Amino acid sequence: MTDYYSLFSEYLSEQKPNSANTRESYLRDTMYYLEYLAQQGVLPEEAGEGEIQGFVDHLHDLNRSPTTISRNLASVRCFYKFLIYRGLMDTNPAKGIKLEKAEKKLPQVLSGAEIELLLAQPDITEPKGCRDKAMLELLYATGIRASELINLNIKDINLRSGVLYCRGSKGIRSIPVYPSAVVAVSDYIYRMRGLITGPESGNALFVNLNGGRLTRQGFWKIVKGYATEAGITKEITPHTLRHSFALHLLEGGASVKDIQTMMGHADISSTQVYVQLLDNHVKQVYQDCHPKAKLG
């Protein structure tokens, strides 16, 4: 039996310059698709548009979100590109599959008061709380992704000049860090980090309590935990702080282009969603606060 996993993994690493997280998603989605085909008694080289549409319908039946279904289809398309590359197929049967356009949901954000409440939760007298405070402050200060945060090394932040050097899939970008975030990170590095580091820590900026580099799942749980402690009822993930960073900069007068640069968006359309979010926010403030609007 063909070892599709190893061959496709090798193809993604060599031919598709994506992040490790993207490659993992492609592999996971594709293996799920292959399991689906196996249950139908169909080899991937034999599958046509009918089988792929059946897979999409299967995902709908499982109540998968439009975003998840779109990602799965993208993974399947990529898998067939791989089969064509290997000379196992001539055409891509997934190319003609279209999805119904789903209404895009605007991202969830926190208000300034909610941000302050969240940042006030960690107990900085303890190593864990001091580390968590530094992470939350740095995430909100720079708007970097959670994956970028956990991959930071100590040398990636210049505490004296207040600049973070973030290594993303598109290269290194320099992002200013506001003073209280610099203080929080400095406090963690010089006062507490040494108490939790171990042989596996290396140059990692943020480590877990066993001394290894913190994981995305670990950080996600940290954010959720502090949101609960703060009594914030919104659905919060680490990305919520990234969205809040962008909206609050936009509210303060920053240009979309500058925000795009800081966030590392390859396409400015990814950043422009915050303009719509700001417009909605302004409308809501108007409805809530204008005396005549309340009369309607």
Side-chain angles (χ1 to χ4, degrees):
M1 182 178 177
T2 306
D3 184 4
Y4 290 115
Y5 186 91
S6 298
L7 293 173
F8 188 41
S9 178
E10 182 180 332
Y11 168 81
L12 290 173
S13 297
E14 294 178 355
Q15 304 294 326
K16 304 284 286 182
N18 295 309
S19 69
N21 293 330
T22 301
R23 291 195 295 272
E24 287 173 13
S25 295
Y26 273 40
L27 281 169
R28 183 173 60 250
D29 293 344
T30 301
M31 291 308 109
Y32 186 65
Y33 168 66
L34 295 180
E35 288 174 10
Y36 168 82
L37 288 183
Q39 291 169 2
Q40 312 300 312
V42 179
L43 293 172
E45 297 93 330
E46 300 170 345
E49 284 192 11
E51 284 76 16
I52 298 169
Q53 185 61 58
F55 176 62
V56 171
D57 293 342
H58 170 67
L59 295 174
H60 279 295
D61 291 341
L62 294 175
N63 292 318
R64 297 290 190 261
S65 71
T67 302
T68 298
I69 294 173
S70 178
R71 192 199 66 216
N72 271 262
L73 183 56
S75 300
V76 171
R77 287 192 184 115
C78 183
F79 174 69
Y80 279 109
K81 287 181 183 177
F82 150 72
L83 292 184
I84 293 169
Y85 174 79
R86 297 279 300 186
L88 298 174
M89 294 191 74
D90 296 322
T91 59
N92 190 333
K95 191 174 181 180
I97 304 296
K98 305 294 182 186
L99 298 177
E100 292 181 13
K101 285 195 174 179
E103 186 179 345
K104 266 196 169 181
K105 282 188 177 180
L106 291 176
Q108 179 77 273
V109 295
L110 298 178
S111 66
E114 287 170 328
I115 288 286
E116 292 302 326
L117 194 57
L118 185 68
L119 296 177
Q121 297 309 307
D123 179 3
I124 62 173
T125 65
E126 298 289 335
K128 180 184 181 301
C130 186
R131 178 205 64 189
D132 296 349
K133 169 76 169 177
M135 289 193 296
L136 293 174
E137 286 275 11
L138 194 58
L139 198 66
Y140 178 59
T142 60
I144 60 175
R145 301 170 180 88
S147 57
E148 293 170 334
L149 180 82
I150 63 172
N151 284 321
L152 289 174
N153 291 321
I154 294 177
K155 65 181 181 180
D156 292 331
I157 184 166
N158 187 322
L159 296 170
R160 179 168 295 180
S161 60
V163 176
L164 180 75
Y165 301 100
C166 181
R167 288 169 171 78
S169 58
K170 303 297 180 182
I172 301 175
R173 60 190 193 276
S174 303
I175 312 169
V177 182
Y178 58 67
S180 60
V182 170
V183 170
V185 176
S186 179
D187 186 39
Y188 159 68
I189 290 175
Y190 294 113
R191 189 167 64 91
M192 293 295 193
R193 183 179 176 275
L195 300 179
I196 55 176
T197 50
E200 298 180 1
S201 301
N203 294 317
L205 177 56
F206 297 115
V207 297
N208 60 36
L209 298 183
N210 293 320
R213 189 182 288 272
L214 198 72
T215 64
R216 282 198 310 158
Q217 293 85 351
F219 183 56
W220 185 87
K221 289 178 182 177
I222 288 168
V223 173
K224 294 284 283 187
Y226 286 126
T228 300
E229 288 180 21
I232 298 171
T233 56
K234 293 176 180 175
E235 272 297 315
I236 293 179
T237 70
H239 227 62
T240 307
L241 288 172
R242 178 170 162 84
H243 295 319
S244 303
F245 160 87
L247 180 64
H248 296 169
L249 276 178
L250 202 58
E251 287 177 328
S255 73
V256 173
K257 187 67 179 175
D258 286 338
I259 295 172
Q260 178 194 5
T261 299
M262 286 184 273
M263 297 187 79
H265 284 156
D267 190 335
I268 199 167
S269 63
S270 299
T271 319
Q272 285 171 333
V273 68
Y274 299 111
V275 177
Q276 185 182 350
L277 192 63
L278 179 61
D279 289 343
N280 285 7
H281 174 69
V282 170
K283 287 177 184 175
Q284 189 60 52
V285 169
Y286 180 87
Q287 291 295 328
D288 292 343
C289 302
H290 196 291
K292 290 287 188 182
K294 292 180 181 180
L295 298 176

